[in-house]
PDB file of all heavy atoms in Angstrom:
ATOM      1  N   GLN A1147      58.347  76.610 395.636  1.00 92.00           N
ATOM      2  CA  GLN A1147      57.599  75.964 396.703  1.00 92.00           C
ATOM      3  C   GLN A1147      57.142  76.975 397.751  1.00 92.00           C
ATOM      4  O   GLN A1147      56.015  76.910 398.246  1.00 92.00           O
ATOM      5  CB  GLN A1147      58.449  74.873 397.366  1.00 92.00           C
ATOM      6  CG  GLN A1147      57.681  74.004 398.358  1.00 92.00           C
ATOM      7  CD  GLN A1147      56.499  73.317 397.708  1.00 92.00           C
ATOM      8  OE1 GLN A1147      56.630  72.661 396.685  1.00 92.00           O
ATOM      9  NE2 GLN A1147      55.317  73.474 398.300  1.00 92.00           N
ATOM     10  N   THR A1148      58.014  77.919 398.080  1.00 93.00           N
ATOM     11  CA  THR A1148      57.642  78.975 399.027  1.00 93.00           C
ATOM     12  C   THR A1148      56.460  79.774 398.507  1.00 93.00           C
ATOM     13  O   THR A1148      55.501  80.049 399.238  1.00 93.00           O
ATOM     14  CB  THR A1148      58.835  79.918 399.279  1.00 93.00           C
ATOM     15  OG1 THR A1148      59.881  79.195 399.917  1.00 93.00           O
ATOM     16  CG2 THR A1148      58.430  81.101 400.158  1.00 93.00           C
ATOM     17  N   ALA A1149      56.500  80.154 397.227  1.00 93.00           N
ATOM     18  CA  ALA A1149      55.414  80.930 396.635  1.00 93.00           C
ATOM     19  C   ALA A1149      54.114  80.146 396.649  1.00 93.00           C
ATOM     20  O   ALA A1149      53.046  80.693 396.962  1.00 93.00           O
ATOM     21  CB  ALA A1149      55.779  81.324 395.200  1.00 93.00           C
ATOM     22  N   ALA A1150      54.196  78.851 396.317  1.00 90.00           N
ATOM     23  CA  ALA A1150      52.994  78.020 396.304  1.00 90.00           C
ATOM     24  C   ALA A1150      52.392  77.903 397.696  1.00 90.00           C
ATOM     25  O   ALA A1150      51.178  78.031 397.876  1.00 90.00           O
ATOM     26  CB  ALA A1150      53.326  76.633 395.754  1.00 90.00           C
ATOM     27  N   ASN A1151      53.238  77.658 398.698  1.00 87.00           N
ATOM     28  CA  ASN A1151      52.741  77.504 400.068  1.00 87.00           C
ATOM     29  C   ASN A1151      52.059  78.776 400.550  1.00 87.00           C
ATOM     30  O   ASN A1151      50.991  78.727 401.172  1.00 87.00           O
ATOM     31  CB  ASN A1151      53.891  77.137 401.008  1.00 87.00           C
ATOM     32  CG  ASN A1151      54.397  75.729 400.780  1.00 87.00           C
ATOM     33  OD1 ASN A1151      53.717  74.902 400.178  1.00 87.00           O
ATOM     34  ND2 ASN A1151      55.599  75.454 401.231  1.00 87.00           N
ATOM     35  N   CYS A1152      52.674  79.931 400.273  1.00 88.00           N
ATOM     36  CA  CYS A1152      52.094  81.203 400.703  1.00 88.00           C
ATOM     37  C   CYS A1152      50.772  81.468 399.989  1.00 88.00           C
ATOM     38  O   CYS A1152      49.789  81.893 400.595  1.00 88.00           O
ATOM     39  CB  CYS A1152      53.061  82.353 400.439  1.00 88.00           C
ATOM     40  SG  CYS A1152      54.526  82.349 401.494  1.00 88.00           S
ATOM     41  N   TYR A1153      50.739  81.183 398.686  1.00 89.00           N
ATOM     42  CA  TYR A1153      49.529  81.455 397.912  1.00 89.00           C
ATOM     43  C   TYR A1153      48.375  80.564 398.368  1.00 89.00           C
ATOM     44  O   TYR A1153      47.285  81.050 398.655  1.00 89.00           O
ATOM     45  CB  TYR A1153      49.788  81.247 396.425  1.00 89.00           C
ATOM     46  CG  TYR A1153      48.543  81.450 395.587  1.00 89.00           C
ATOM     47  CD1 TYR A1153      48.161  82.721 395.172  1.00 89.00           C
ATOM     48  CD2 TYR A1153      47.730  80.373 395.243  1.00 89.00           C
ATOM     49  CE1 TYR A1153      47.017  82.920 394.433  1.00 89.00           C
ATOM     50  CE2 TYR A1153      46.576  80.562 394.498  1.00 89.00           C
ATOM     51  CZ  TYR A1153      46.221  81.837 394.100  1.00 89.00           C
ATOM     52  OH  TYR A1153      45.074  82.021 393.369  1.00 89.00           O
ATOM     53  N   TRP A1154      48.622  79.258 398.421  1.00 88.00           N
ATOM     54  CA  TRP A1154      47.518  78.355 398.720  1.00 88.00           C
ATOM     55  C   TRP A1154      47.059  78.461 400.163  1.00 88.00           C
ATOM     56  O   TRP A1154      45.884  78.242 400.468  1.00 88.00           O
ATOM     57  CB  TRP A1154      47.910  76.914 398.369  1.00 88.00           C
ATOM     58  CG  TRP A1154      48.134  76.727 396.899  1.00 88.00           C
ATOM     59  CD1 TRP A1154      49.276  76.298 396.290  1.00 88.00           C
ATOM     60  CD2 TRP A1154      47.204  77.000 395.841  1.00 88.00           C
ATOM     61  NE1 TRP A1154      49.112  76.292 394.926  1.00 88.00           N
ATOM     62  CE2 TRP A1154      47.855  76.717 394.620  1.00 88.00           C
ATOM     63  CE3 TRP A1154      45.892  77.465 395.816  1.00 88.00           C
ATOM     64  CZ2 TRP A1154      47.235  76.869 393.394  1.00 88.00           C
ATOM     65  CZ3 TRP A1154      45.282  77.632 394.585  1.00 88.00           C
ATOM     66  CH2 TRP A1154      45.946  77.332 393.391  1.00 88.00           C
ATOM     67  N   LYS A1155      47.957  78.829 401.086  1.00 87.00           N
ATOM     68  CA  LYS A1155      47.534  79.071 402.466  1.00 87.00           C
ATOM     69  C   LYS A1155      46.578  80.256 402.509  1.00 87.00           C
ATOM     70  O   LYS A1155      45.522  80.202 403.161  1.00 87.00           O
ATOM     71  CB  LYS A1155      48.750  79.340 403.347  1.00 87.00           C
ATOM     72  CG  LYS A1155      48.382  79.596 404.806  1.00 87.00           C
ATOM     73  CD  LYS A1155      49.616  79.872 405.654  1.00 87.00           C
ATOM     74  CE  LYS A1155      49.222  80.158 407.105  1.00 87.00           C
ATOM     75  NZ  LYS A1155      50.409  80.484 407.932  1.00 87.00           N
ATOM     76  N   SER A1156      46.931  81.326 401.783  1.00 87.00           N
ATOM     77  CA  SER A1156      46.053  82.497 401.722  1.00 87.00           C
ATOM     78  C   SER A1156      44.733  82.141 401.046  1.00 87.00           C
ATOM     79  O   SER A1156      43.656  82.582 401.472  1.00 87.00           O
ATOM     80  CB  SER A1156      46.755  83.623 400.956  1.00 87.00           C
ATOM     81  OG  SER A1156      45.902  84.734 400.804  1.00 87.00           O
ATOM     82  N   TYR A1157      44.812  81.333 399.984  1.00 87.00           N
ATOM     83  CA  TYR A1157      43.599  80.892 399.282  1.00 87.00           C
ATOM     84  C   TYR A1157      42.674  80.151 400.235  1.00 87.00           C
ATOM     85  O   TYR A1157      41.470  80.424 400.294  1.00 87.00           O
ATOM     86  CB  TYR A1157      43.989  79.987 398.114  1.00 87.00           C
ATOM     87  CG  TYR A1157      42.817  79.406 397.355  1.00 87.00           C
ATOM     88  CD1 TYR A1157      42.322  80.031 396.217  1.00 87.00           C
ATOM     89  CD2 TYR A1157      42.196  78.227 397.783  1.00 87.00           C
ATOM     90  CE1 TYR A1157      41.249  79.508 395.525  1.00 87.00           C
ATOM     91  CE2 TYR A1157      41.118  77.702 397.097  1.00 87.00           C
ATOM     92  CZ  TYR A1157      40.641  78.342 395.963  1.00 87.00           C
ATOM     93  OH  TYR A1157      39.567  77.829 395.285  1.00 87.00           O
TER      94      TYR A1157
END
Side-chain angles (χ1 to χ4, degrees):
Q1147 188 58 52
T1148 295
N1151 289 342
C1152 290
Y1153 177 85
W1154 295 121
K1155 180 180 179 182
S1156 176
Y1157 177 94

